[in-house]
Structures are given as C-alpha cells and as structure tokens.
Amino acid sequence: MSWIEGWITPELRALFDAVFAKLARPGMCNIDDTDSVAATVKVVDSKVLEAAARRDRRDAGQRSHDALFALLQPGVDAAKLGSHRGLPVQAILTMSVADLERGAGVATTASGGHVSINEALKMAEGTRPVLAVLDADGLPLYLGRCERLATPAQRLALIARDKGCTRPGCDAPGSMCAVHHITDWAKGGPTDLNNLTLVCDHCHALVNDSADGWKTVVMGKDSPYRGRTGWIAPKRLDPTGIPRVNDRHHVGQWVAAAIDSSCQRWGSRAA
C-alpha cells in the first residue's frame, strides 16, 4: 500500500465527481466481489446493483479507490460509461445569465462543487460537460410530459433548479438524487417540472402516507420560496405542519437567512 494526497483543481474535481457518482456507488466495481457491477456495463440492472450493494462492506474511500482502479483498466473508455440516474456520466455545470454576461462568478456542478465562470466555459467547449444557463429568476423552462419517468432534459432542469436533495437539512448533491413526484403519480400527479423535485434515496424512503411519513408540497405564490419544494415533517417531529425548504444548496439564500437570524437575535438583546 502507498499513500497519496494533494490538491486538485475544481475542474478535475468536477470530472472525478461525475465518474465516481456512478462507479463508486455501493455495489459497483467491487474488487472483492466477482458478481459486482463492472465499469463497462452501460445499462445497470437495478436488481443486480441492489443485491451487490447489500453485499458491499467497503467504506467511501475504498469505493473511490476501486472506482479509479476500474476506470484505468484497459478497454474502459470514460466517454462511454453509459448513464447514471438517467443521464450520461459527465460533469453538469449551472450558471446564471448575469454571471455569464459579466464573465465573473461561479458555476455549480451537479455534485455540489463550484467552478469559476471562465473555467466552466472552457470545459463546455469540449464534449464532456453539460452546461445549463438559468434566466434571471433562476428557473429553467417548463417541460410537460405524459410518461411516469422524468426525461433526461427534465432531470437536467431539476439539477439546475434544485441543485441537490430538497429535504431540509440534507446535503446530498444532485448527482446522488432520484426524481420524486411531489404529488404522487399514483394519485394523479403529472410528470411535469412543477411536480418534480430531487430527493436522495434515503430521504425518498421517508415520504409515505403513514403517521411517521413526510409529505412534499409546492410552495405557494405568497411564499418567499414560491415554486420550491416544501417538506412537511411528521407531527411527532413538528406538530405545526409548516412546510419547510432546504437552503443548503442555495448559498445566497442560506447566507441571507443566517444574517437575518443574527440581526433578529441582536435586536432582541438590544431591546
């Protein structure tokens, strides 16, 4: 064994994250499991992956090691790694029109990282990243569909809008999330952007109709979070039933909320 560590650029991190999101998942590329899903498998059978994941005893560092090992094997083409959660295995960058026009600021990756605008544009000149540019309101175009499963275009729009899991307090990035129907498909909820949101696998399992289940709603037009996904906790956790949003992936709003809270505390002390 030998130890390796060091700093890497945001661009390299974005590319690594895109690959590791698929190859470093539990059940993928496990050197000690001959029935683990290999890097060369373009379309992963969910049942095979779930069975391999249940056998997987590696920690995150070991899975990253095995993913890198698999990526460097002869015959593995990083450009042909198939898909991950319905999208090609590639970096996804989101930036605002305002930052694009002034050539300053940062682009956000689907894995929660940040890349400068100039570097993001350089990356977008190639074929690996997908670049999503938002309008002044930070909202992507509306896409309506009749199918139950979200399209790749809808998933890209959700990554640009939600950036990560929408349950309050969760820090899972968009690359680790599934697409969730806010109003369930079985209850008549359409597969339209205004009824879809990003949710990680752990939080997805919390949404159900039991007494301990969480509920999801679309925040109304009178809310400061209009159009965002609100989560209602079980009554045993929050008897008020007030829907709350997740600001962890929206840095500007999180900072503003922290400043506002601090000002309120100082104001109450002064009073």
Side-chain angles (χ1 to χ4, degrees), residues 132-144:
V133 181
L134 305 183
D135 63 16
D137 296 323
L139 297 175
L141 294 176
Y142 176 89
L143 290 175

Side-chain angles (χ1 to χ4, degrees), residues 32-244:
D32 298 323
D33 184 356
T34 55
D35 294 325
S36 175
V37 183
T40 52
V41 176
K42 291 186 177 182
V43 180
V44 178
D45 187 314
S46 60
K47 292 183 178 179
V48 174
L49 180 60
E50 290 172 3
R54 288 194 292 269
R55 299 190 301 269
D56 200 336
R57 297 295 180 267
R58 300 170 299 168
D59 60 28
Q62 291 170 323
R63 295 199 306 271
S64 295
H65 169 279
D66 292 352
L68 185 58
F69 184 82
L71 183 65
L72 298 178
Q73 294 304 299
V76 176
D77 185 347
K80 299 178 180 179
L81 290 179
S83 63
H84 170 64
R85 297 187 182 274
L87 291 178
V89 179
Q90 56 192 351
I92 300 172
L93 309 174
T94 303
M95 67 175 66
S96 70
V97 171
D99 286 347
L100 176 61
E101 289 178 343
R102 63 192 179 94
V106 295
T108 305
T109 70
S111 52
H114 297 91
V115 179
S116 72
I117 293 295
N118 289 335
E119 293 301 327
L121 293 176
K122 290 179 182 178
M123 293 178 68
E125 291 175 358
T127 58
R128 295 290 178 85
V130 171
L131 177 63
V133 181
L134 305 183
D135 63 16
D137 296 323
L139 297 175
L141 294 176
Y142 176 89
L143 290 175
R145 288 293 183 271
C146 296
E147 292 81 8
R148 181 178 186 276
L149 299 179
T151 66
Q154 286 175 313
R155 183 171 176 81
L156 286 172
L158 289 170
I159 289 174
R161 186 191 70 190
D162 297 338
K163 306 185 188 310
C165 181
T166 54
R167 190 173 79 91
C170 184
D171 59 2
S175 58
M176 304 301 293
C177 291
V179 176
H180 165 69
H181 285 73
I182 298 173
T183 297
D184 193 72
W185 169 265
K187 298 178 181 179
T191 308
D192 298 345
L193 273 183
N194 57 2
N195 189 50
L196 300 176
T197 191
L198 292 181
V199 184
C200 72
D201 293 340
H202 170 73
C203 294
H204 210 176
L206 300 177
V207 182
N208 58 72
D209 292 329
S210 71
D212 292 325
W214 288 68
K215 305 293 187 294
T216 52
V217 297
V218 178
M219 303 300 283
K221 61 181 181 179
D222 296 330
S223 168
Y225 304 106
R226 180 176 62 89
R228 297 260 305 271
T229 303
W231 286 68
I232 302 175
K235 288 187 177 181
R236 64 180 179 81
L237 296 179
D238 184 4
T240 67
I242 297 174
R244 306 184 189 279

